[in-house]
Structure formats: C-alpha cells, structure tokens
Amino acid sequence: GVDIKGARIWKGAKASHEGKILNAAFLRTRIELISSFFAPDEVDEIWITFPDPQPSERRRKKRLTGTSFLTQYQGFLINRGIIHLKTDSDLLYQYTLDLVNYNNLELIFSTTDLYKSDIVDDILGIKTYYEQKFLEKGSNINYLKFRLTKEANLHENTEKNG
C-alpha cells in the first residue's frame, strides 16, 4: 500500500500483520516518488483501488493510470506485468480504458459493473471500506485489468474527449 496519510498505512499494516499476510508492504510517501522504492522487475502486479479520479482536466496528469504514472510503473513492473483498476468513477474508468486502447496495451478484462460480470476471482471479492459505501449508495464498480510492457511508448490521446 502507498499513501501519504499515516493512519491509512497503519490500518493496512495492522490488518496484514494480524492476518499473517506475508507478501504485503506499506509505504508512507507521495505516490509521485513510487519509482524510488522498487528495483527493476521487482513487482508483478499493481492494484489501484478507488484512487482520487482527479476529475478536472487540469489535474489529469495526477491520475494514477495516466501516462506519467504508467511510465514510472514500467521501471519496476515486470515486462507484461498486470495493472488492476477498481473504481466507482466512470470518468476514470473510461479515461483508463481509452488510454489502454490508444496505446495498444493488452486488455485482459473490462467491465462497468464488476459484481454483475461473469469474472470469478477471490481477490476481486474483497471489498474496501469505501467500496462498501459506494455499493450501499447503488454505485457501480468499474474494473480494468491490463498488461503493461516495457517497450510500450505511452502517449495521451489528445483528441477532444480523449
């Protein structure tokens, strides 16, 4: 887990310790510094769960699935590593799906309603606190799973609505 807020990191670390989860680690840092903490090919998968969708156009570059972050992930993710995105934000889901398609990345799975889809995965059944709240309000949960290659030369789609 990565977050700048210590309370969130403490809660996740405590839960993983109590659950004897041995393959979890937590960093209290700014996400923009993420590439400073991992060696090349150190990470197999990245899970991005309910990030701030950064809805304004001027904050687009802060989206965790934008090209600047995907480029950072290429540095420590194994070649053809997997990125997962779970979000209640239709805007972030569509933005990321468009980016995946525009850059010809391999799309493994995509749905605008995870719990009405036919995907079966124990990990996807785990619901975060915020996810529970979104579901209680009747929000749909969007999910994307795609591969990121080392050689992908990532670009933003600069067309209107892209």
Side-chain angles (χ1 to χ4, degrees):
V2 178
D3 205 317
I4 192 66
K5 298 190 177 176
R8 291 181 189 160
I9 294 299
W10 179 84
K11 186 175 181 179
K14 182 176 184 260
S16 70
H17 178 73
E18 290 172 353
K20 297 184 179 13
I21 299 168
L22 302 177
N23 66 344
F26 298 87
L27 296 169
R28 183 177 181 202
T29 189
R30 294 173 43 98
I31 192 65
E32 293 84 0
L33 303 175
I34 190 69
S35 59
S36 302
F37 295 92
F38 297 100
D41 301 324
E42 187 173 358
V43 176
D44 295 331
E45 295 185 29
I46 296 173
W47 285 81
I48 303 171
T49 55
F50 301 94
D52 184 335
Q54 306 292 347
S56 73
E57 189 59 32
R58 66 180 178 77
R59 294 188 56 87
R60 173 188 245 191
K61 67 179 182 253
K62 297 214 175 252
R63 294 178 186 160
L64 298 184
T65 56
T67 56
S68 64
F69 282 104
L70 292 180
T71 300
Q72 281 199 60
Y73 305 154
Q74 283 175 311
F76 58 83
L77 191 64
I78 62 170
N79 191 38
R80 299 182 39 77
I82 296 174
I83 297 182
H84 303 262
L85 171 67
K86 276 177 84 173
T87 181
D88 66 310
S89 169
D90 295 336
L91 176 127
L92 182 60
Y93 166 81
Q94 191 60 55
Y95 165 82
T96 307
L97 180 59
D98 290 346
L99 194 64
V100 166
N101 290 329
Y102 186 75
N103 286 285
N104 297 312
L105 302 177
E106 179 186 345
L107 181 62
I108 299 169
F109 189 83
S110 169
T111 182
T112 57
D113 198 336
L114 178 59
Y115 298 108
K116 289 184 181 170
S117 74
D118 59 357
I119 191 169
V120 178
D121 185 312
D122 290 341
I123 294 173
L124 284 173
I126 298 169
K127 295 178 181 81
T128 68
Y129 170 81
Y130 289 105
E131 185 173 4
Q132 294 277 24
K133 295 290 183 197
F134 297 138
L135 289 168
E136 289 169 11
K137 290 192 311 188
S139 298
N140 61 300
I141 304 301
N142 302 291
Y143 173 68
L144 276 175
K145 180 178 181 179
F146 62 96
R147 290 192 190 280
L148 184 61
T149 61
K150 297 276 188 188
E151 60 274 352
N153 188 7
L154 301 165
H155 299 285
E156 290 279 338
N157 183 352
T158 56
E159 296 173 20
K160 186 95 167 144
N161 299 324

